[in-house]
Amino acid sequence: MVDLRHHSEIFDLMGFTPSVYNKINIHIGAAYKDKYAVLDKWCENYIKLDEHTKKRLTIENDDKKSLYTISDLYTHVHSKVGIPLVMDFHHHNCHSGDTSAMDSFRIALS
């Protein structure tokens, strides 16, 4: 999370307004042995971030079956902390879960 704060501070120094239009887009990226426990821990750390970093941060679905779909991110992260989602169609084609591309897009858009 320290790295995210540093990236956000650089955006501040460059004069970029804190918003998802000047975004820092990331993958949560690790599942270890319990992917939903990882998401819970991620949410606990997210709420500790400063407001400028939170306003810039977005999360994106993954391309690996062991990781996170848009549905996972919506249910286990966005619904808890409100972070915006970015739907990557290529990643969706690699790992869609049980959700169609159009439904995943609608979830992210909502």
Side-chain angles (χ1 to χ4, degrees), residues 43-90:
C43 290
E44 289 174 22
N45 286 316
Y46 173 82
I47 61 174
K48 297 174 186 175
L49 289 170
D50 64 281
E51 288 305 310
H52 280 199
T53 304
K54 284 184 199 175
K55 288 179 181 179
R56 290 185 169 110
L57 200 57
T58 61
I59 54 174
E60 181 178 316
N61 56 309
D62 292 289
D63 60 346
K64 294 176 180 64
K65 290 186 180 189
S66 62
L67 297 178
Y68 307 104
T69 64
I70 283 291
S71 293
D72 292 332
L73 297 175
Y74 181 83
T75 303
H76 299 280
V77 181
H78 173 79
S79 66
K80 293 179 181 180
V81 298
I83 188 169
L85 305 177
V86 172
M87 197 264 189
D88 183 313
F89 278 93
H90 171 70

Side-chain angles (χ1 to χ4, degrees), residues 20-35:
V20 295
Y21 298 106
N22 300 305
K23 73 176 122 254
I24 300 169
N25 185 55
I26 64 169
H27 292 266
I28 291 179
Y32 304 106
K33 295 181 182 182
D34 185 345
K35 70 189 230 179

